[in-house]
Amino acid sequence: MSAVQQAEIASPSLRRQRLSDVLRAEIVRRRRPGGIAVGLWIAVALGLAFGGGMLAILLTVAPAVDAQLTDGTFRLAVTSSLEAAATGAIISLMLAVTSAAARDTRGQFATALAVVPRRSRFLGARTLADVAYGGGTVLFTTGIIAALTMIFAQGAIYGDLVLLILLTATLAGIWLTILASALGVLFRSAVLAVLTVIGLMLVFPLVAGLVGGMLPAGASVVVTAISQAMPGALLVKAISVSTLSELGAGQILTGQLWLLAWTVVVGTAAWIVARRRDA
């Protein structure tokens, strides 16, 4: 055996670590205990419960009111059930992702950097993994409800609306999943991060809506404007296909763009903090 062959055996060349390698590892790690596997199934279950419940209510109550199911009733049943499914899945998905991200910033962060020394590669792979799981979970959940509307609410007639909701819900799920992950990185505490998500998505918009009417006119306008800029209110706008004929596509586009803006701002802050943070 030549000296060159012996040297190759003694010091085998290692393949350069690529983003795709780290991404595959992150996707697998997310499914393991301590990741988001349980949270994903909870998100699917809640999305199906919200969407299926809305579909059942509309198809049960509407005949008693209208004496018969009209075209408008079917249209509302299709769009509202899909929007309800997307909302339930996205909010519960955010809670799972932000909790996992906050846990990762403690001991797991140092371990991950030992395997992936380049932080930008690790953070990029984790973001892409969240995108895959977030978008996939929302699309899977709303897809099941879409199939149910095809069976029970003549959803095939409104195929263009169904496709539009699937698209807008998936995009909103991606933006908000990244936002949730970024909040977990910033806070480094699962409790604080989860409470922040609940506040942004549910508490503040609801409280602002209740309190706004009790305030003077000027203050009420400010509070309402702030509440409408919260991710919870923007999610409703971003997937509000049920109001497409009345309000047009502008509301959906505005909601999507503002959700993207939230994601870019908070995500950039989290990226900077994670790049500079001690392991």
Side-chain angles (χ1 to χ4, degrees):
M1 182 180 293
S2 67
V4 174
Q5 290 174 325
Q6 291 177 348
E8 288 178 349
I9 295 175
S11 302
S13 60
L14 298 177
R15 186 167 65 88
R16 183 174 178 271
Q17 190 181 68
R18 296 178 300 183
L19 177 62
S20 59
D21 301 323
V22 185
L23 175 58
R24 284 194 295 269
E26 281 298 303
I27 289 176
V28 172
R29 190 174 68 86
R30 285 294 204 218
R31 297 199 303 264
R32 291 176 178 172
I36 60 174
V38 175
L40 294 180
W41 287 113
I42 292 175
V44 171
L46 287 179
L48 294 178
F50 277 44
M54 179 66 72
L55 179 63
I57 290 173
L58 288 174
L59 293 182
T60 301
V61 175
V65 176
D66 299 337
Q68 62 181 1
L69 290 174
T70 62
D71 177 72
T73 302
F74 279 125
R75 182 180 183 277
L76 182 63
V78 171
T79 56
S80 296
S81 59
L82 285 168
E83 292 168 8
T87 301
I90 289 173
I91 293 177
S92 53
L93 177 66
M94 290 180 68
L95 296 176
V97 169
T98 196
S99 179
R103 291 196 300 269
D104 275 353
T105 58
R106 297 199 289 269
Q108 293 92 332
F109 192 72
T111 303
L113 291 180
V115 180
V116 189
R118 190 172 177 180
R119 293 195 182 197
S120 60
R121 184 180 295 132
F122 166 64
L123 295 172
R126 189 169 66 176
T127 301
L128 291 175
D130 289 336
V131 167
Y133 279 121
T137 299
V138 175
L139 181 60
F140 175 74
T141 305
T142 51
I144 293 177
I145 298 300
L148 292 178
T149 65
M150 300 290 180
I151 298 172
F152 298 106
Q154 300 181 7
I157 299 176
Y158 311 102
D160 55 340
L161 296 179
V162 170
L163 291 176
L164 182 57
I165 295 180
L166 292 177
L167 174 62
T168 56
T170 301
L171 287 175
I174 290 173
W175 310 144
L176 290 173
T177 299
I178 299 174
L179 175 63
S181 180
L183 289 172
V185 172
L186 287 175
F187 283 97
R188 303 187 72 178
S189 166
V191 174
L192 290 178
V194 166
L195 289 177
T196 301
V197 169
I198 294 174
L200 291 175
M201 300 301 297
L202 298 172
V203 177
F204 191 86
L206 292 176
V207 172
L210 294 174
V211 175
M214 306 176 186
L215 299 175
S220 177
V221 171
V222 173
V223 171
T224 300
I226 294 175
S227 67
Q228 292 300 309
M230 293 293 104
L234 293 174
L235 171 60
V236 175
K237 292 181 179 180
I239 62 174
S240 59
V241 177
S242 58
T243 62
L244 187 61
S245 58
E246 294 82 12
L247 302 178
Q251 179 170 246
I252 297 175
L253 182 59
T254 299
Q256 291 285 343
L257 291 177
W258 277 107
L259 284 180
L260 177 58
W262 268 92
T263 300
V264 170
V265 172
V266 180
T268 300
W271 185 282
I272 294 172
V273 168
R275 287 289 301 273
R276 297 179 177 179
R277 178 175 290 161
D278 293 333

